[in-house]
Amino acid sequence: MDLLDVVILALRLALALVLYLFLLAVLRAGRRTLQDATSESSASQPAVLGLRVEEPAGSGLKPGQVLDVPDGATLGRGAGVEVRVADPTVSSTHARLARSGRRWLVDDLGSTNGTTVNETPVHAQAELRSGDVLALGNVRLRVEGGKR
């Protein structure tokens, strides 16, 4: 083997290495683009929590009706709330539902008749899971899980 053969072999190996590095760069860029597109589509669609009315009390809601509650919504009987529950046992601004990562949390906002999750009083924040029963005064709502 002479010097020319060694140079040609070295150039072939260098070309193969450059091609593999290029292919790796293309795959990484494609993966990053897909991840960005996925995070943008999930961020552009607001998360909504479904609450099925189990016991409407005097709210005027119908049993089985599903309330779609957006992230950060306030529930109560007052005019300035996002989800109106017009029962006399529900305070004007009764509770707030918000997401924290993938979890939904409920905050009692100092309501007169309290907020409970599965009959446990909410004093600060409480996590909501699918199947839980959220009570605002005498109104009972079953958590159906978050939607996108």
Side-chain angles (χ1 to χ4, degrees):
M1 216 163 133
D2 63 348
L3 182 63
L4 183 59
D5 290 336
V6 171
V7 170
I8 291 174
L9 180 62
L11 288 174
R12 283 183 178 173
L13 290 174
L15 179 62
L17 179 64
V18 168
L19 288 173
Y20 279 115
L21 289 174
F22 176 75
L23 181 61
L24 181 64
V26 168
L27 290 174
R28 281 186 174 174
R31 188 177 81 192
R32 197 172 310 125
T33 301
L34 286 175
Q35 286 174 341
D36 290 346
T38 302
S39 66
E40 283 176 16
S41 68
S42 65
S44 67
Q45 297 176 349
V48 175
L49 182 68
L51 298 176
R52 183 172 299 279
V53 178
E54 286 205 337
E55 191 174 318
S59 67
L61 299 170
K62 296 177 183 155
Q65 177 181 353
V66 177
L67 305 174
D68 289 332
V69 181
D71 183 16
T74 305
L75 290 80
R77 72 169 197 274
V81 297
E82 287 80 12
V83 179
R84 190 141 192 250
V85 181
D87 181 76
T89 63
V90 175
S91 295
S92 295
T93 53
H94 197 101
R96 175 173 288 115
L97 271 61
R99 279 178 56 120
S100 176
R102 300 184 131 210
R103 303 176 327 152
W104 280 92
L105 302 173
V106 60
D107 282 311
D108 183 83
L109 300 176
S111 64
T112 303
N113 293 309
T115 302
T116 64
V117 175
N118 300 325
E119 299 183 18
T120 302
V122 175
H123 296 293
Q125 281 187 337
E127 184 173 352
L128 294 174
R129 293 189 170 103
S130 187
D132 284 348
V133 175
L134 173 66
L136 309 173
N138 292 334
V139 178
R140 306 274 182 273
L141 308 164
R142 182 164 302 275
V143 176
E144 292 202 333
K147 303 176 194 172
R148 284 217 171 271

